[in-house]
Amino acid sequence: DVKVTQSSRYLVKRTGEKVFLECVQDMDHENMFWYRQDPGLGLRLIYFSYDVKMKEKGDIPEGYSVSREKKERFSLILESASTNQTSMYLCASSLLRWAWRADGYTFGSGTRLTVV
Amino acid sequence: QQPVQSPQAVILREGEDAVINCSSSKALYSVHWYRQKHGEAPVFLMILLKGGEQKGHEKISASFNEKKQQSSLYLTASQLSYSGTYFCGTAPYQKVTFGTGTKLQVIP
């Protein structure tokens, strides 16, 4: 089974701190994604990466950046955490099986981040 | 633009059937369906492609009408284990845009 592991299940940070959320997958997937999940809003895409050192903005990239130095690892960075970034963050990965359509995603268990 | 799901929530008794709908204002190339149980990660159920394809997973099946830009998820003879939030996702190419979810509760 594909495993997507997020480094922390719960995280509490102070406003203004720089925050790193780590995600590692073990099945050689090309694509990796960061979503945030908020009640009533579903899952919204922050950033995704389809290859090492490649990244594209999703629907809500403001206040975030990402890093992908190795194929298996995709990091989400909150440059200066704010209270409106309190949320559940989900990492996902998928195989680049077809160029024209997405394969099914495998999600990590999520990191619940609280910014105080 | 997120796809729109309906209903937002539904309560079923064990053995009853349910339909969850997903519609998009944009042309659909493929539709994903996921289920998320409380406190857990979303789990992939199935993908449907253009062409009115219908697929199944256990007693859960789905259809995709590209002309109407809609997909429907059918849950038959529901079981307690079906409880959770169901998300549809629409995807040109590699990235999926998810709907806001349908919360399904199955009671004895």
Side-chain angles (χ1 to χ4, degrees):
Chain A
D1 277 357
V2 176
K3 288 270 175 22
V4 177
T5 304
Q6 295 184 230
S7 53
S8 303
R9 187 79 174 102
Y10 298 95
L11 214 49
V12 179
K13 295 292 181 181
R14 294 196 178 277
T15 302
E17 277 193 83
K18 191 168 186 176
V19 181
F20 294 84
L21 302 184
E22 306 287 345
C23 175
V24 177
Q25 51 96 3
D26 67 358
M27 283 299 287
D28 207 34
H29 281 180
E30 292 83 1
N31 299 327
M32 295 189 75
F33 308 85
W34 276 105
Y35 286 85
R36 65 177 280 178
Q37 184 173 24
D38 300 287
L41 298 178
L43 292 87
R44 294 179 292 165
L45 181 63
I46 304 171
Y47 267 98
F48 74 101
S49 169
Y50 50 89
D51 200 353
V52 175
K53 297 191 186 296
M54 304 301 286
K55 61 186 179 186
E56 283 197 26
K57 292 180 180 179
D59 300 317
I60 51 165
E62 297 79 18
Y64 303 94
S65 62
V66 290
S67 172
R68 194 169 180 196
E69 297 294 321
K70 293 185 177 182
K71 190 174 184 179
E72 67 270 18
R73 186 179 296 271
F74 192 36
S75 301
L76 179 69
I77 303 155
L78 286 68
E79 298 291 342
S80 177
S82 64
T83 54
N84 63 12
Q85 291 178 310
T86 291
S87 186
M88 171 67 85
Y89 290 86
L90 290 164
C91 175
S93 71
S94 71
L95 196 58
L96 180 55
R97 198 191 306 267
W98 302 275
W100 57 274
R101 75 169 175 94
D103 204 10
Y105 285 12
T106 300
F107 283 89
S109 298
T111 296
R112 185 165 292 283
L113 173 68
T114 302
V115 183
V116 298
Chain B
Q1 191 80 11
Q2 288 181 280
V4 176
Q5 290 185 232
S6 63
Q8 289 185 321
V10 59
I11 300 175
L12 296 176
R13 291 201 178 275
E14 265 187 299
E16 290 183 336
D17 302 339
V19 180
I20 299 172
N21 299 303
C22 175
S23 63
S24 175
S25 58
K26 292 185 175 182
L28 296 180
Y29 299 88
S30 65
V31 178
H32 291 218
W33 284 98
Y34 293 77
R35 176 173 63 206
Q36 184 178 30
K37 293 181 181 285
H38 183 69
E40 298 181 8
V43 173
F44 170 69
L45 295 176
M46 66 189 81
I47 291 180
L48 297 104
L49 305 178
K50 291 171 69 171
E53 180 176 355
Q54 187 152 356
K55 295 191 73 172
H57 174 85
E58 299 173 346
K59 292 182 183 176
I60 301 172
S61 62
S63 63
F64 177 24
N65 186 323
E66 67 199 75
K67 284 187 179 178
K68 292 185 177 180
Q69 296 172 190
Q70 289 177 348
S71 177
S72 295
L73 187 72
Y74 306 96
L75 299 97
T76 57
S78 58
Q79 306 167 14
L80 295 175
S81 62
Y82 287 0
S83 293
T85 301
Y86 290 79
F87 293 97
C88 70
T90 55
Y93 306 105
Q94 300 301 313
K95 64 174 185 175
V96 175
T97 300
F98 288 95
T100 54
T102 295
K103 189 171 183 179
L104 180 82
Q105 185 181 0
V106 181
I107 58 176

